[in-house]
Amino acid sequence: MFPDLHSVRASLLGGHGHASDWLQRCLERAQAAPCQHAFSALLPASAQAQAAAARPEQPLAGLAVSVKDLFDMQGLPTRASARALADAPAAAQDSSAVARLRRAGAAFIGKTHMTEFAYSGVGTNPHHGTPAAWDARSGALPGAARVPGGSSSGCAVSVATGAAFVGLGSDTGGSIRIPAALNGLVGFKSTARLVPMDGAIPLAPSLDTACAMTRSVRDALLVHEILAARRVIRSSAPLAAWRLAVPQTLLLDALEPAVARAFARSLALLRAAGARIDDIALPELDTLATLNAGGGLSASESYAWHRPLLAQQADCYDPRVRQRIERGAALSAADYIDLLHTRQHWIARMEAATAGYDALLSPTVPITAPPLASVAPANGQDPQQDAACDSAFWQANTLLLRNTSVVNWLDGCALTLPCHQSGELPMGLMLWHGALRDDSLLNIALRVADALQIQ
């Protein structure tokens, strides 16, 4: 595994090497085969200037950071990897998230590709190609090319391959945590309100979160402090001091055998390290599918933003993305208001049911990454094959989003960290809870990483 931000920054503070040297290595990786289709734009000249100007004592110390093509960067267009925004003008200023990273000493190596308009957990993009998943822990491609997860696909591959130490992305239903799990990374979705989303193309403002992927939990904590402009309250409490629970409803259903084994192994390691883990019923989770049957908040809110663009350039959209957005046209204003009220009642019930615990544990996703070829976008040459790939895509998308989207609906926070071993496909263990539990969740994650022997 490539070193994390903390390790390299400590080396720089000790007078060993320069940020510019590390940036050059990252640029070489960004231009190598494993990063094919990961970047929409590389920025070598400006990144080198930022690295040269940064100071080792800065939080990011002039080290490489990638930015999902959803966030405004001054002087560059924001296209959300969409053909419909091919002629987007250059942004007049940085989004708040980018501005905070810049002030912390980031060297922005480039903008990364994504699922068009951030609307899929699989990560495919028919316009610009799809980067293949990469296992950050082994430093290798996990066998045949597999989906990277979405929507922050290029973001994940940039960090997993060593092209960036931090990948700025977004999470509306799992778009940080899904690709983090499928690429052997750490992904932290904070409570949404803690990080401003201005200067970013929205998917569903009620659910959108600006957050990042890193190679370690300690890096995730540091980057969250930068993005949220706040200090995390540290705790030295051991793992045994926290109360943990495993919900038995929904989140353990239909687990791929490899995921079930990795999850059971992780729980055993945590218990051996002193963790107190209860199995709990959480029947509130069974209602989510019904609540979102019409497309939910994502369809309704995305359609409101996309309606004028669809009227002009509908043919430019990825058909799979367009299909999901257009479901929002069938939801009335009354339906939407009812959904908002229903969500608040559901959150209250969930908070009451989980109040006695410091964190909940679940597999991040119930499956390993499907082969890219099995979900490839339609090419029109073989209708039967296209139909089979579409069917596999929708099945994978539903499963990949199932566990992670619970946290977005809860308006909560969550962290995924790798739990696979050598020879296994990347998989993630997710720690999660309700809103503003970020500090305790990050402290617990540090202890969990120690118990699982993750950097």
Side-chain angles (χ1 to χ4, degrees):
M1 183 175 182
F2 297 114
D4 70 348
L5 175 69
H6 269 76
S7 299
V8 175
R9 184 168 175 265
S11 178
L12 296 177
L13 282 168
H16 305 292
H18 302 279
S20 294
D21 298 331
W22 280 99
L23 183 67
Q24 186 56 42
R25 296 176 202 175
C26 289
L27 283 167
E28 290 171 1
R29 289 168 181 161
Q31 296 173 76
C35 270
Q36 185 180 18
H37 306 307
F39 286 92
S40 60
L42 281 174
L43 309 169
S46 60
Q48 285 286 12
Q50 290 157 3
R55 304 181 306 278
E57 63 271 17
Q58 287 182 286
L60 298 178
L63 297 173
V65 174
S66 67
V67 176
K68 185 177 185 178
D69 193 21
L70 199 74
F71 294 89
D72 286 349
M73 294 181 69
Q74 185 177 23
L76 296 173
T78 305
R79 297 192 175 105
S81 293
R83 275 202 307 153
L85 295 182
D87 297 325
Q93 62 186 28
D94 288 339
S95 62
S96 287
V98 168
R100 290 177 177 182
L101 293 169
R102 193 185 296 277
R103 287 194 294 269
F108 292 116
I109 191 170
K111 300 195 83 172
T112 53
H113 275 309
M114 51 186 280
T115 301
E116 181 185 77
F117 292 119
Y119 213 157
S120 160
V122 180
T124 54
N125 188 303
H127 312 309
H128 305 291
T130 303
W134 189 264
D135 184 358
R137 299 187 75 187
S138 68
L141 186 74
R146 292 178 178 268
V147 303
S151 63
S152 307
S153 53
C155 172
V157 173
S158 73
V159 178
T161 58
F165 288 90
V166 177
L168 174 65
S170 63
D171 191 308
T172 303
S175 287
I176 280 286
R177 289 161 289 149
I178 295 166
L182 299 188
N183 288 271
L185 298 169
V186 173
F188 178 57
K189 179 231 173 297
S190 63
T191 302
R193 72 195 77 163
L194 295 181
V195 183
M197 277 291 294
D198 64 282
I201 294 174
L203 174 55
S206 295
L207 306 171
D208 294 343
T209 309
C211 43
M213 275 178 254
T214 59
R215 291 191 207 124
S216 66
V217 175
R218 60 185 183 175
D219 284 0
L221 190 154
L222 171 67
V223 174
H224 170 65
E225 290 186 324
I226 295 168
L227 291 173
R230 59 183 291 269
R231 294 287 294 172
V232 171
I233 299 172
R234 306 302 207 276
S235 171
S236 59
L239 192 55
W242 306 93
R243 288 202 65 193
L244 310 176
V246 177
Q248 302 297 299
T249 306
L250 181 69
L251 305 180
L252 302 182
D253 292 351
L255 296 184
E256 188 175 311
V259 175
R261 288 192 298 270
F263 185 62
R265 180 178 63 225
S266 299
L267 295 182
L269 288 170
L270 294 180
R271 288 189 169 108
R276 297 180 297 158
I277 306 174
D278 296 335
D279 291 342
I280 62 169
L282 203 52
E284 290 80 7
L285 296 177
D286 272 338
T287 65
L288 275 180
T290 301
L291 295 178
N292 287 289
L297 294 173
S298 293
S300 182
E301 294 183 354
S302 65
Y303 182 71
W305 190 90
H306 283 273
R307 182 168 53 176
L309 191 60
L310 281 168
Q312 298 177 348
Q313 301 196 61
D315 291 343
C316 291
Y317 277 65
D318 175 353
R320 292 168 175 173
V321 171
R322 177 182 169 184
Q323 179 177 336
R324 298 186 75 195
I325 293 172
E326 288 182 335
R327 294 181 73 189
L331 292 168
S332 68
D335 293 333
Y336 176 68
I337 292 170
D338 283 347
L339 196 56
L340 292 177
H341 289 160
T342 299
R343 182 191 183 201
Q344 291 308 311
H345 292 313
W346 183 84
I347 289 174
R349 294 197 306 273
M350 283 285 289
E351 288 180 342
T354 59
Y357 295 97
D358 298 300
L360 307 170
L361 305 175
S362 307
T364 308
V365 293
I367 59 173
T368 55
L372 257 174
S374 70
V375 296
N379 58 24
Q381 296 178 5
D382 184 341
Q384 187 173 1
Q385 178 65 26
D386 288 347
C389 285
D390 274 346
S391 176
F393 171 87
W394 292 118
Q395 181 179 13
N397 191 61
T398 298
L399 286 170
L400 289 170
L401 287 162
R402 188 193 70 192
N403 290 8
T404 54
S405 61
V406 167
V407 183
N408 300 82
W409 249 78
L410 185 60
D411 190 27
C413 52
L415 182 142
T416 181
L417 68 170
C419 65
H420 61 293
Q421 294 183 342
S422 177
E424 296 177 334
L425 290 172
M427 291 170 273
L429 172 68
M430 184 168 69
L431 289 68
W432 58 281
H433 213 309
L436 302 177
R437 301 284 196 120
D438 303 72
D439 290 12
S440 59
L441 199 73
L442 286 163
N443 279 292
I444 295 168
L446 289 169
R447 305 286 86 79
V448 169
D450 289 340
L452 299 185
Q453 299 183 344
I454 296 168
Q455 186 179 54

